[in-house]
Amino acid sequence: MTSYQPDDIDLKILEMLQQNARLTIKEMASNLNLSTTPVFERIKRMEKVKLITRYVALVDPKGLGKTLQAFI
């Protein structure tokens, strides 16, 4: 099995998703000057090879009324 090496466009897609995973394919394609199909296919490929493993919501602890933070 060959290993997957992300190229510059893949890295830009990853950066955009890390900043805002709710961006649409259309928005990402526009930012990259590409059509939607290659962006969609690249994301699906990165999910298939487990480069992208999940999408998560980051919660602001202050929004939950949590003010104490401890590192152990």
Side-chain angles (χ1 to χ4, degrees):
M1 183 176 191
T2 60
S3 65
Y4 175 75
Q5 271 307 109
D7 63 14
D8 289 341
I9 294 173
D10 291 337
L11 295 175
K12 288 177 185 174
I13 291 170
L14 290 171
E15 183 179 340
M16 284 189 274
L17 288 172
Q18 287 180 314
Q19 292 299 314
N20 182 0
R22 293 185 64 156
L23 281 174
T24 65
I25 301 290
K26 187 175 180 179
E27 290 169 324
M28 286 187 277
S30 176
N31 290 338
L32 295 166
N33 296 316
L34 295 171
S35 65
T36 56
T37 301
V39 174
F40 176 81
E41 289 173 349
R42 285 170 176 273
I43 292 171
K44 289 301 170 193
R45 182 178 343 126
M46 289 188 280
E47 291 172 345
K48 183 178 180 181
V49 300
K50 306 292 187 213
L51 187 58
I52 296 173
T53 57
R54 62 185 168 159
Y55 299 86
V56 300
L58 301 176
V59 179
D60 183 352
K62 293 176 188 172
L64 296 174
K66 307 290 182 185
T67 56
L68 179 64
Q69 190 173 41
F71 295 94
I72 301 173

